[in-house]
């Protein structure tokens, strides 16, 4: 998982288009910070993950954790 800015800086994505596969956008506000939001991931096949962004300490966050999703530490977000 990486931010759009990180993908652009690494030359993986253009500035005016979404990144190419295997990168998929997780919808969120432009001002989402890891103080209020949690980046979540779940492995669906060996080495294949899906992701989600949710507000911390809410019912949705708790249900994702209960279903086996993992919270991605901010230090692990990058190309």
């Amino acid at each position: 998982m990486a931010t759009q800015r990180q993908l652009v800086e690494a030359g993986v994505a253009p500035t005016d288009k979404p990144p190419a596969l295997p990168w998929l956008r997780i919808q969120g506000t432009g001002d989402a910070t890891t103080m209020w939001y949690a980046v979540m991931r779940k492995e669906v096949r060996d080495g294949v993950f899906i992701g989600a962004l949710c507000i911390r300490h809410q019912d949705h966050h708790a249900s994702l954790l209960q279903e086996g999703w993992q919270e991605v530490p901010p230090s692990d977000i990058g190309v």
Side-chain angles (χ1 to χ4, degrees), residues 7-77:
L7 293 173
V8 169
E9 289 173 358
V12 175
T15 58
D16 59 341
K17 295 179 186 174
L21 294 174
W23 299 97
L24 297 171
R25 181 183 166 119
I26 295 176
Q27 296 292 352
T29 64
D31 63 348
T33 68
T34 53
M35 180 174 151
W36 298 108
Y37 289 85
V39 177
M40 307 294 288
R41 71 177 177 193
K42 183 174 184 178
E43 190 168 14
V44 291
R45 285 184 295 194
D46 288 337
V48 178
F49 291 86
I50 56 174
L53 185 68
C54 64
I55 299 174
R56 293 181 183 280
H57 312 298
Q58 298 293 317
D59 292 341
H60 186 230
H61 181 249
S63 69
L64 289 176
L65 289 170
Q66 194 172 33
E67 293 173 10
W69 289 66
Q70 300 172 325
E71 191 167 329
V72 179
S75 60
D76 288 356
I77 298 172

